[in-house]
Every structure is written in C-alpha cells, then in structure tokens.
Amino acid sequence: IVNSRPRASAAVLRNGGKEVLMVKHVWPNGRTYWQFPGGGASANETLEETVIRELKEETGLEGSNPQKVFELPYSKGISTTFLVDVDDNVAPVLGIDPEEENDDHQKLAAVAWMPLADHLENSEVKALLKYFEETNH
C-alpha cells in the first residue's frame, strides 16, 4: 500500500468487559467520533510499543501486557488492536496528540469509559465483540 502507516489501538476494558476506554475526536469541520486510544507507529517501533505509547499519550494510563485481538483496514493501511491491561485504580486523563501539539485545533476532545452496548455501530467495538464471541471470552 502506498503511503502505508501501521497503526495500533488499545482495547482497555473494565466492569467485567462491559465498558471500554474511548477517546473522542473532533475534526476542524465539527465532525466527531469516539474510538479506542491509538495512532500510527513511529519508525523502528513495534506495534506493541506503539499501543503502549499511544495509550499513555492520549489517556495518561500506563498499559501493559498487550495482546493482539484483531486487525482492521483504515485510510493509511492496517490498524491492529490489542487488549491492554491498566491499573484499575488510576483514572484516565485526556492527553494530546504530539503531532498536533502546536496546531490551533486539537483533535482529542475527551476520554471516557463507554458501555460497549452504546457503541455497537463502531467498527472497533464490533470487531472486539466478534473476537469475544469466537474465543468464548
């Protein structure tokens, strides 16, 4: 794929797998959507390293034990999602995307625990639920 950039995202669950950590993105045109914390891999970085770094940048949480669960196509290639463990006693805080640090518009607008049931149309949530079904989680 031309212009391919591997991407990694974190599926961080709590409440018996009923809630997932999501970040809200707002585009300059006002379009908004929620997705799992994640982003593009840097040069010479494994996807496991990418997902831990992106989770920290976007939510302040220290992730561990990334386990690959699925891949989805996205505009610049393939996005790989990992189940990631975090300390349940630490609250997430909204971070920033370093690539936008000096921009007028910050895409990251919020971070929150979301019931999976409220985001069934989200492609990441759909793929995660399918994974759980197939692996009897």
Side-chain angles (χ1 to χ4, degrees), residues 8 41 45-54 63-68 80 82 84:
E45 187 177 52
T46 67
L47 289 175
E48 287 81 2
E49 290 166 339
T50 299
V51 77
I52 297 299
R53 175 182 54 76
E54 288 285 345
S64 62
N65 193 25
Q67 297 170 45
K68 180 178 168 180
T80 304
F82 295 84
V84 179

Side-chain angles (χ1 to χ4, degrees), residues 63-81:
S64 62
N65 193 25
Q67 297 170 45
K68 180 178 168 180
V69 284
F70 61 82
E71 293 179 339
L72 290 173
Y74 87 112
S75 60
K76 294 181 182 146
I78 297 290
S79 179
T80 304
T81 298

Side-chain angles (χ1 to χ4, degrees), residues 10-25:
V12 181
L13 297 167
R14 74 169 191 188
N15 194 8
K18 292 185 181 74
E19 291 180 317
V20 67
L21 189 64
M22 297 183 87
V23 288
K24 182 179 184 180
H25 289 242

